[in-house]
Amino acid sequence: MQKLTIKNIGAIKLVEFEVNRINVFMGPQSSGKSTISKILCHCQWVEKSCFFNDKQLENYQKQGVFYDSLVEYHKLDGYFHKNASIKYEGEAMTITYTHSSKKTTIKLKDKMVFSYPKICYIPSERNFVAGVPNFSKYNEGNNVLLYFAYDWSEAKEEIKKLDISNLLSREVSYENINDRDYIFDNGSKLLLTNASSGVQSVLPLYQTIIYMLSNLYNKPRTLSPLKEMAKKEFSNALILIANRIASGENIGKFKEYSNILLSMFKMLESYDVKAISKLSDLSPEDLSHNIYEAVHVMDRLFNYHYTQLFIEEPEQNLFPDTQQEFVYWLLGTMLNDKKHSAVITTHSPYILFAINNCMMGGLVKDNIPEEEACDFASHPAWIDPKLVSIFELENGTSRCIQDKDGIIEDNYLNKAYKKNSEEYLELLNYYEDEE
C-alpha cells in the first residue's frame, strides 16, 4: 500500500493518507486538491524512473533536483513554505523531501514488488489544449499541460474516429480528417476549436482515457533511448553477477542486489524463473541460471502493468447527467481489465453522488436478482467500497467522508443539499400565492 504525507505546501497544513485504487479529493477552490494530486503524481513518476536505474536514483537525490522538477512540471513555484516536507512510501522505495535543506532521500524497501505504471495526468486546463488551433506545435517549457497535449496527440493517432454520444445524450462524434479535428454534432460539421466548451472538455478527457486504459496495451512498447540504455546496462549488470556466482563467488557478496533480484524473480516468475524468498534458497548454480533466464524475459519489467490516471475536475463544463455518465463509464472501463487506478479532484457533488451509487451497487449486488441488476445505470461500474477513498479538504487538512461500510456519510450529502436549499426556503416565507 502506498502512503503520502504532505506538510505546509500551498493551502495544505497536514495531509496524510494511504493511496487506494480510486482516490477522490473534494473541496472548494484553492483548498489543496490539485496540490495533492500533483505531488503524488511526481512521487510515483520519480519512483518508476529510479527503479532499476541507479543513475536516476543518484540524480534525484542531488540537492534541488526533486524539488525543481516538481515545481517546473506541475507549476508549483511559490507553494512551498519554509518548513514544508513530503514523504512518499511507495511499492519499491520511500522518498523523503525536506524543503528547509532541499534534501531528498530515497531508500529502497527491503521487500518490494513493483508494477511498472503508465502515468497520465489530465489537467483542468484541457479545454485550452482543445480550443487553441495547432496547440500540438507548441513545445516551450516542461509542464503538465504540454505533456497532456502529447498524450492526447498519441491517442488521436490511434483513435481517428470516436462516438461520444453516450456521454452527451445526443448524436456527437469526432473524426480526424486530413490531420484536422472535426466534431459532427446533430448533423453539423464543426472544427473542434469551434465546438462547445463541453465538447472541448469531454473529448480530450474521454479519448485520452480510452487510449490509456485500452489501446496502449494492444501494441508493443517502444522505449526511449534513455530507457533502452538503462535496460541494456541493467541486463549487463545482471549477467555479470550471474557469471561471478557461476564461477564460485560467495552469494553473500551480492547482498546489495538481493532486494532487486528477489523482486525481479517474483515479477518474472515463469516456467524457467523461480520466485524465492532469499538468494540462499537456490544453489549457486541454480541462482545463476535463474538470473540468466530472468534476463531473457526481462522485457516484462519495462512494459506497463497498469495505468495510473490523475484527473482534475472531470465535471468541467459538463451537465450533471454527463458527469454521472462519465463516472459510470470511467469506473466500468477501469474495472474491466488490469488494476488501473485513479486520483480524481472535484468540486462537484454530482461526481460524488455517482461514485456513491457505484459503491452502493458493489455493496448490495449479491442481494439483487441478476435480471434486475442491469436496470441500474451504474451496474457496469459497481465497485467494492473498500477500493475507494473519498476525502474532503478543509482548513489545510483532510478527512475521510465515508462511513464504516465505505459509503459516503448521509450527513455529508444532506449538508450539501441543505446548503443549496436554505436560502430558497427562507425566501419562500415571503412568497405570497395570489390564489
Side-chain angles (χ1 to χ4, degrees):
M1 180 72 75
Q2 301 164 348
K3 185 176 179 180
L4 181 65
T5 303
I6 303 172
K7 294 181 180 178
N8 301 311
I9 299 177
I12 297 171
K13 298 174 183 175
L14 173 61
V15 166
E16 185 175 13
F17 66 97
E18 291 186 341
V19 183
N20 210 339
R21 180 109 180 250
I22 307 294
N23 309 269
V24 182
F25 293 93
M26 174 79 174
Q29 293 85 355
S30 304
S31 59
K33 303 182 300 299
S34 293
T35 302
I36 294 171
S37 181
K38 290 173 179 178
I39 291 173
L40 178 59
C41 177
H42 185 67
C43 289
Q44 290 185 341
W45 178 265
V46 170
E47 181 178 35
K48 83 168 192 172
S49 298
C50 293
F51 193 65
F52 293 144
N53 192 329
D54 289 339
K55 291 181 180 178
Q56 287 287 64
L57 186 65
E58 180 182 348
N59 181 54
Y60 274 108
Q61 292 187 87
K62 293 178 180 177
Q63 188 173 26
V65 173
F66 176 89
Y67 169 78
D68 290 342
S69 56
L70 168 61
V71 165
E72 179 186 11
Y73 185 81
H74 285 292
K75 299 183 289 186
L76 290 178
D77 190 24
Y79 278 66
F80 282 67
H81 304 290
K82 290 182 179 180
N83 54 349
S85 65
I86 297 169
K87 184 176 182 181
Y88 168 74
E89 299 172 58
E91 291 182 343
M93 58 194 68
T94 297
I95 302 170
T96 305
Y97 172 75
T98 304
H99 189 58
S100 57
S101 61
K102 286 196 175 181
K103 181 180 179 182
T104 303
T105 303
I106 303 177
K107 293 184 178 179
L108 295 175
K109 288 194 168 183
D110 291 336
K111 295 181 180 180
M112 59 177 177
V113 177
F114 185 68
S115 300
Y116 200 80
K118 171 63 178 178
I119 297 175
C120 176
Y121 202 102
I122 303 178
S124 58
E125 302 98 323
R126 58 187 173 274
N127 284 54
F128 185 71
V129 177
V132 175
N134 301 317
F135 185 87
S136 60
K137 296 181 180 179
Y138 174 81
N139 59 4
E140 184 177 341
N142 176 34
N143 60 69
V144 67
L145 186 60
L146 182 60
Y147 273 82
F148 171 67
Y150 294 156
D151 285 341
W152 184 34
S153 294
E154 196 171 321
K156 290 192 291 184
E157 283 295 314
E158 288 287 319
I159 307 171
K160 298 289 188 181
K161 294 183 179 181
L162 184 62
D163 189 345
I164 55 178
S165 304
N166 62 315
L167 292 182
L168 298 176
S169 301
R170 67 178 195 272
E171 294 296 323
V172 184
S173 63
Y174 157 84
E175 186 172 356
N176 184 280
I177 304 173
N178 297 325
D179 205 29
R180 302 190 80 184
D181 297 324
Y182 288 94
I183 295 296
F184 296 84
D185 191 345
N186 277 337
S188 300
K189 179 182 176 182
L190 308 169
L191 281 168
L192 176 59
T193 52
N194 297 334
S196 70
S197 61
V199 170
Q200 290 180 0
S201 177
V202 80
L203 176 66
L205 177 69
Y206 188 49
Q207 192 170 22
T208 303
I209 291 174
I210 290 174
Y211 175 74
M212 291 296 172
L213 299 185
S214 180
N215 298 64
L216 179 70
Y217 296 90
N218 295 331
K219 61 180 183 178
R221 184 186 177 205
T222 302
L223 296 179
S224 66
L226 186 63
K227 288 188 174 66
E228 194 66 56
M229 183 180 296
K231 175 184 171 184
K232 184 177 180 180
E233 290 178 352
F234 184 65
S235 296
N236 291 339
L238 291 183
I239 291 172
L240 181 62
I241 292 170
N243 289 341
R244 289 170 61 185
I245 292 174
S247 65
E249 281 199 48
N250 192 303
I251 293 174
K253 290 186 177 180
F254 303 98
K255 186 177 179 180
E256 63 183 293
Y257 296 98
S258 175
N259 293 336
I260 289 179
L261 288 172
L262 295 176
S263 177
M264 182 179 66
F265 295 155
K266 187 169 183 178
M267 283 188 284
L268 299 178
E269 186 176 10
S270 64
Y271 180 78
D272 293 314
V273 181
K274 297 178 181 178
I276 55 179
S277 59
K278 54 185 183 296
L279 297 186
S280 58
D281 285 347
L282 296 176
S283 68
E285 182 180 354
D286 288 339
L287 177 59
S288 182
H289 175 78
N290 218 40
I291 297 173
Y292 289 140
E293 293 302 326
V295 170
H296 290 157
V297 296
M298 196 174 64
D299 278 344
R300 284 171 51 189
L301 285 179
F302 291 84
N303 288 335
Y304 297 125
H305 290 76
Y306 70 100
T307 295
Q308 171 69 68
L309 293 171
F310 292 85
I311 307 173
E312 288 186 354
E313 301 173 25
E315 71 273 10
Q316 188 182 78
N317 299 107
L318 301 183
F319 190 67
D321 287 353
T322 303
Q323 296 177 36
Q324 175 180 283
E325 289 299 326
F326 171 76
V327 169
Y328 294 164
W329 168 80
L330 175 66
L331 295 189
T333 303
M334 288 181 62
L335 297 173
N336 279 338
D337 188 25
K338 305 186 183 297
K339 290 190 176 180
H340 301 307
S341 55
V343 174
I344 300 170
T345 66
T346 182
H347 303 115
S348 172
Y350 298 104
I351 296 292
L352 295 192
F353 298 155
I355 294 174
N356 213 35
N357 288 347
C358 297
M359 293 192 296
M360 181 58 78
L363 196 63
V364 303
K365 63 182 180 180
D366 293 336
N367 302 331
I368 301 177
E370 189 174 341
E371 63 274 12
E372 294 180 19
C374 294
D375 293 336
F376 293 91
S378 61
H379 176 246
W382 286 353
I383 186 172
D384 183 346
K386 292 179 182 178
L387 300 177
V388 182
S389 295
I390 304 178
F391 300 95
E392 179 186 32
L393 296 183
E394 191 174 20
N395 297 324
T397 61
S398 66
R399 74 176 186 93
C400 180
I401 57 173
Q402 294 160 275
D403 63 22
K404 59 181 179 61
D405 294 319
I407 304 301
I408 298 176
E409 298 171 351
D410 286 341
N411 62 346
Y412 183 84
L413 296 179
N414 288 338
K415 185 172 70 173
Y417 283 123
K418 184 179 179 182
K419 189 173 182 179
N420 283 290
S421 61
E422 275 181 348
E423 184 172 355
Y424 176 79
L425 293 175
E426 287 184 26
L427 292 169
L428 195 60
N429 293 326
Y430 297 92
Y431 178 73
E432 295 182 4
D433 194 331
E434 292 182 0
E435 295 182 0

